[in-house]
Amino acid sequence: MDYGRFIRLRRPLWDAFEGQLAAKGLRKIGYDGLEEMALRYRQVLHDHALAAARFPGTAAARRLQALALAGTRRLTGEGGRRRPGVAAFFARTFPAAFQRQLDLNLIALSLFLLAVLWGLTMAVLRPELGLLFLGPEAVRGLEEGKLWTESLVTTVPPSVSSSGIVTNNISVALTAWGGGVLAGVVPLYIVLFNGLLLGVVAGVTLHYSMIGELLKFISAHGILELTLILVCSAAGLGIGQAVVAAGDLPRPLALRAATRDALAVLLGCLPWFVVLALVEVFVSPSPELPASVKLVLGLALEGAFLALALRPVAPEPIDD
């Protein structure tokens, strides 16, 4: 049986079973309805095994996996449990959603690195681009051997700096996430612009022999900060993918699943922005701390986030 024929013949069963799963309470289904649901559940399990063997990785295989898990939970009574708390969210829901979007994260990272290379090349060939991206005041500071980041410890109170940084970073994350509805154009722009900006800044500071100071400043917070922006942008790309190419699922269901995953990823990233704002204000600009300490802290934060996001978890259903 080819994939298209498999979908045409079996989709009505899957839709019917999904409709029964959406019913509020098994008691309202009645004995006959419960018996019919159990029969469809066995058929879904059979289709799931067939799709996993012959059509692995397809939208049908993912949907059947979700239906099989949801049916198991519903028929065994697990569906009546209370919603998981914060600890369960970060231990299971967030990592599961993040791992379902690994391919999108790799795409976002690849595009970001290409943009960095592009910006670095342009800045090396034409250092005057610094005026366009950094402004004349920052460039004058570079000519005097000073980074614009020194203002964080000389002119602005830490409480104001940290709140401003949190607000800015969360605004970027929300824009990347919500902008996915526009066919993924907004998160794509954010990925490319941030990569281009980083490349230009690196090239300009290299021209003025200040690249070492820049790397010293961003080593504590910049690694994870860029990771979080890319992850939130990838979540937005997931929404855009559901809008443009829903696959075998009906578009509303595909969009609902993508939005749920994207929201879980966004909520899992937000607390890290608060931590990074404190690091960027109190640690990154501190001249007393050696560069090695800042780098170790930056790598530790990145490692902690990735360890949480990539921790092994059992697959979750895509649609409840």
Side-chain angles (χ1 to χ4, degrees):
M1 182 185 299
D2 60 57
Y3 182 67
R5 187 164 181 264
F6 174 66
I7 295 294
R8 289 193 301 272
L9 291 177
R10 306 303 292 172
R11 178 183 285 170
L13 169 70
W14 308 339
D15 292 341
F17 183 65
E18 191 171 44
Q20 287 183 312
L21 289 177
K24 300 294 184 181
L26 291 178
R27 292 183 179 180
K28 295 182 179 180
I29 298 178
Y31 177 79
D32 293 337
L34 183 60
E35 190 176 47
E36 183 182 24
M37 183 178 180
L39 175 61
R40 286 174 176 163
Y41 170 66
R42 290 194 295 270
Q43 293 173 323
V44 165
L45 290 180
H46 174 271
D47 290 348
H48 170 49
L50 178 62
R54 295 190 181 182
F55 316 114
T58 60
R62 294 194 300 270
R63 184 185 184 189
L64 285 166
Q65 181 188 48
L67 288 175
L69 287 171
T72 300
R73 291 180 175 181
R74 190 67 181 276
L75 292 172
T76 57
E78 293 184 13
R81 294 180 180 176
R82 293 183 299 175
R83 292 286 183 181
V86 175
F89 171 82
F90 283 101
R92 177 184 176 84
T93 305
F94 167 65
F98 177 86
Q99 291 166 36
R100 282 195 290 267
Q101 295 188 338
L102 273 180
D103 54 341
L104 295 171
N105 279 282
L106 292 176
I107 292 173
L109 176 60
S110 300
L111 294 174
F112 175 79
L113 294 177
L114 286 175
V116 170
L117 182 61
W118 180 29
L120 179 61
T121 302
M122 289 196 306
V124 169
L125 296 177
R126 301 189 61 182
E128 61 270 20
L129 284 174
L131 290 172
L132 177 62
F133 283 85
L134 298 177
E137 185 176 347
V139 172
R140 281 196 300 269
L142 290 174
E143 293 173 347
E144 298 171 0
K146 298 179 181 179
L147 282 179
W148 60 93
T149 56
E150 292 182 7
S151 62
L152 288 174
V153 290
T154 58
T155 62
V156 183
S159 59
V160 176
S161 297
S162 58
S163 62
I165 291 170
V166 170
T167 302
N168 177 71
N169 289 338
I170 290 180
S171 297
V172 173
L174 288 172
T175 302
W177 173 74
V181 175
L182 301 176
V185 174
V186 175
L188 182 62
Y189 166 78
I190 289 175
V191 169
L192 294 176
F193 176 78
N194 278 274
L196 179 65
L197 179 61
L198 178 61
V200 170
V201 170
V204 172
T205 53
L206 180 64
H207 174 76
Y208 289 102
S209 301
M210 293 291 291
I211 186 68
E213 293 299 316
L214 176 67
L215 294 178
K216 181 180 177 180
F217 173 76
I218 67 174
S219 59
H221 70 274
I223 303 173
L224 181 55
E225 185 175 285
L226 290 172
T227 298
L228 294 177
I229 291 175
L230 291 179
V231 168
C232 292
S233 298
L237 289 175
I239 297 176
Q241 184 182 46
V243 172
V244 176
D248 297 319
L249 285 175
R251 194 174 305 279
L253 291 179
L255 186 58
R256 191 180 90 180
T259 302
R260 191 184 69 173
D261 278 350
L263 180 60
V265 169
L266 175 69
L267 294 177
C269 290
L270 292 184
W272 294 92
F273 282 120
V274 178
V275 175
L276 286 178
L278 297 175
V279 172
E280 188 170 351
V281 171
F282 292 102
V283 178
S284 297
S286 175
E288 291 81 12
L289 291 176
S292 58
V293 173
K294 296 179 181 180
L295 179 59
V296 168
L297 176 60
L299 293 175
L301 289 172
E302 177 78 0
F305 173 78
L306 292 178
L308 175 64
L310 296 174
R311 70 185 302 272
V313 292
E316 288 190 333
I318 297 176
D319 288 299
D320 286 333

